[in-house]
Amino acid sequence: MKSLIRILTDKRGVSSIEFALTIPIFIFLVSLIFELTRIALLSAYLDLALSEATRAAKNRFVPSGDYKQIFENQLKNEKMWKFLNGEGSFSMEVKYADDVNSLIQGNFRQPKVGANGNLISPTGASAGLARYSFDYNYSSWVPLIPQSKLSPIFKRQMVVVQEYERTAFAFGAPAP
């Protein structure tokens, strides 16, 4: 009985036990703060990179009308986004509309069938409006937050008037 009382009242090693019990919580909180900071930073730089890529694409004359290629090249060459993103996967899409009503209703230009039977992507030639869509597949370094909660944070859509094609944009089109 004396040895049991001596073991229960012995104070040696108490700090080691407290440390062992609290260090997982501390590591979890530091990792969570790190991950949330990374998400906020990536989101901010994504906004900057996309606005710059969209601006470069909409303000440039492209004879072929392939504004998506300009958008994609500009985004891939954005140094800070490239550094933060690494080799992350993303998808982008550019759809063209001839007027505001088509844009609102989702009636975008559709691919056409060429002479050899291949589909030809619609171009932005003589399209006054474009919708640039971007979806980044974020992968966390520390898997603390479910992917389903992070996905919506990294989706963006921008609607712009294509500067060199704006003469084709029906500004005063009557509503249906």
Side-chain angles (χ1 to χ4, degrees):
M1 190 63 155
K2 285 184 180 183
S3 57
L4 181 61
I5 291 172
R6 187 179 51 122
I7 290 172
L8 292 175
T9 58
D10 192 0
K11 299 291 184 203
R12 291 179 293 168
V14 170
S15 61
S16 298
I17 293 171
E18 289 173 352
F19 177 77
L21 292 174
T22 58
I23 194 67
I25 296 169
F26 176 74
I27 290 173
F28 172 77
L29 288 175
V30 168
S31 298
L32 185 64
I33 290 169
F34 174 76
E35 194 67 37
L36 291 175
T37 303
R38 183 171 176 255
I39 289 168
L41 186 65
L42 269 173
S43 181
Y45 275 112
L46 175 64
D47 288 338
L48 175 66
L50 289 176
S51 66
E52 289 297 316
T54 304
R55 183 189 54 75
K58 79 177 186 75
N59 290 340
R60 187 171 294 160
F61 175 67
V62 181
S64 67
D66 189 8
Y67 291 97
K68 180 181 179 184
Q69 188 64 40
I70 302 294
F71 178 68
E72 189 172 354
N73 289 342
Q74 184 73 25
L75 189 61
K76 286 182 179 178
N77 292 331
E78 184 71 36
K79 289 178 178 63
M80 186 56 77
W81 172 249
K82 189 192 269 185
F83 170 72
L84 290 172
N85 175 33
E87 293 301 317
S89 63
F90 56 86
S91 62
M92 62 181 74
E93 178 181 53
V94 180
K95 292 187 173 185
Y96 306 102
D98 295 317
D99 57 31
V100 175
N101 292 330
S102 297
L103 179 74
I104 292 170
Q105 295 168 1
N107 296 330
F108 298 103
R109 290 185 172 180
Q110 299 301 316
K112 296 177 182 170
V113 178
N116 58 1
N118 292 340
L119 282 179
I120 300 169
S121 276
T123 67
S126 74
L129 295 171
R131 184 185 77 184
Y132 293 83
S133 300
F134 184 85
D135 187 9
Y136 175 61
N137 298 319
Y138 178 78
S139 59
S140 59
W141 288 347
V142 184
L144 300 173
I145 304 169
Q147 188 69 26
S148 62
K149 300 290 184 195
L150 293 174
S151 263
I153 294 174
F154 294 102
K155 290 184 181 186
R156 303 288 192 276
Q157 287 187 2
M158 292 84 45
V159 174
V160 297
V161 174
Q162 296 290 106
E163 291 299 320
Y164 280 92
E165 309 291 346
R166 70 177 175 210
T167 55
F169 175 49
F171 289 102

